[in-house]
Amino acid sequence: RPMGLVSTSMRLLERRAALFSAVLLGAAQPPLPSRAALSGVPDTATADELAAAYAAGARADGGRGANTMIRKRAESGVQRVGSDSPVFKPGAILDGVRSADGSTVDVSFAYPKEWTVAGGPNLDVRDVRTSDSAYLLAAPLPSGQALDTLPRSFFAELLFRSDGKYGAYGGVDDFAIAESGVALLSSPSGGEQPYRRLSLRFDVLTYNQNTVRRRALVSATAAGGSVYVLVASCLGSRFKEAQPALASIQDSFRALAAPRRLRPGPEDKPA
């Protein structure tokens, strides 16, 4: 490969590494609570076995006599550009995703390094013992809208869609969305990029039709004609304990349009 192209690629890699370096989050490990069964995994499985099964793609099934089909992987709207692991380093996700205008957007966020990264096309991390989690959603930015003009119903419909993570087993009840402000964060271009911050409370149906309350902290931004939404959530009973870690995940989220590759200059041509 011509030396100029190699140096250009190295500069891009160094830029991404510098942009998305994240402070690793430390989290105390709470006692093991009750947990949902995973398809094909016995109830006697240890936490390590559950983590390995989840990483391999196992999900909750109809379970315990429920007359339902095995749940498919939740749809997130995220289209990853590559097939390599999205883990930049333990406790940090860095990946390229396809946006609505066809360009690549670099997304990153930090999470407790004890958490498990799910395999497959979604960017999804979680603590299988506590049900704390963080995952990315993507949707086209509606025509004529900007991030700051999107109604809260846009986020509710995206989070609670029937083929998504929280709407797959039935409707979500008693939910409330509170706006917690807009953060203006510096972008590599020298400007500022807005990130909307939301706080959610909702009751969701589980695979066995129990109702569980969850709390979530959300960060959303627009890039490449898409809206990217990172959702960091926990059981409602854990919110006081988990809030600092969820807030750190929320604060760490970035979604930036990747620099377009310029045409090779004279210095990039082979000798």
Side-chain angles (χ1 to χ4, degrees):
R1 182 183 296 183
M3 183 59 69
L5 292 179
V6 173
S7 61
T8 299
S9 298
M10 289 301 296
R11 287 196 298 271
L12 289 176
L13 289 174
E14 290 170 357
R15 173 187 175 276
R16 293 182 72 190
L19 277 175
F20 297 106
S21 293
V23 177
L24 297 182
L25 303 173
Q29 297 186 352
L32 184 67
S34 59
R35 53 188 182 265
L38 297 179
S39 177
V41 180
D43 290 342
T44 55
T46 65
D48 288 342
E49 290 168 340
L50 281 171
Y54 184 86
R59 294 296 182 269
D61 61 15
R64 298 189 176 98
N67 185 23
T68 58
M69 298 292 289
I70 293 176
R71 177 181 173 177
K72 297 180 180 179
R73 188 182 303 276
E75 294 295 331
S76 66
V78 173
Q79 182 183 355
R80 297 182 59 207
V81 173
S83 58
D84 294 338
S85 170
V87 179
F88 176 62
K89 60 182 179 180
I93 292 291
L94 170 61
D95 204 13
V97 298
R98 188 71 63 203
S99 63
D101 67 5
S103 63
T104 297
V105 170
D106 289 331
V107 296
S108 69
F109 60 91
Y111 61 93
K113 63 182 179 180
E114 297 85 3
W115 288 17
T116 299
V117 179
N122 293 337
L123 294 179
D124 187 345
V125 298
R126 67 174 56 192
D127 186 332
V128 295
R129 298 172 304 161
T130 64
S131 291
D132 296 355
S133 68
Y135 68 103
L136 184 68
L137 295 171
L141 180 66
S143 178
Q145 295 273 11
L147 181 71
D148 59 351
T149 63
L150 290 174
R152 294 181 185 178
S153 59
F154 171 87
F155 298 100
E157 291 171 3
L158 180 61
L159 267 66
F160 304 141
R161 53 188 288 181
S162 61
D163 59 354
K165 186 168 184 172
Y166 293 128
Y169 297 117
V172 175
D173 296 322
D174 190 25
F175 69 86
I177 301 178
E179 195 94 20
S180 54
V182 176
L184 295 176
L185 304 178
S186 297
S187 66
S189 64
E192 292 182 325
Q193 182 170 336
Y195 287 75
R196 282 180 69 172
R197 302 288 171 80
L198 305 170
S199 177
L200 283 73
R201 184 201 72 231
F202 55 96
D203 292 344
V204 62
L205 285 173
T206 65
Y207 70 95
N208 55 4
Q209 299 300 293
N210 289 330
T211 300
V212 175
R213 171 151 293 188
R214 294 192 70 87
R215 298 287 299 272
L217 298 180
V218 173
S219 182
T221 194
S226 293
V227 180
Y228 294 96
V229 181
L230 185 72
V231 184
S233 74
C234 67
L235 294 173
S237 59
R238 277 187 40 78
F239 187 63
K240 183 176 181 180
E241 178 182 354
Q243 184 176 14
L246 301 185
S248 293
I249 296 170
Q250 181 189 46
D251 291 342
S252 72
F253 175 56
R254 302 289 186 275
L256 303 173
R260 294 185 181 275
R261 184 174 179 82
L262 300 177
R263 292 181 180 178
E267 70 277 8
D268 293 324
K269 294 180 179 179

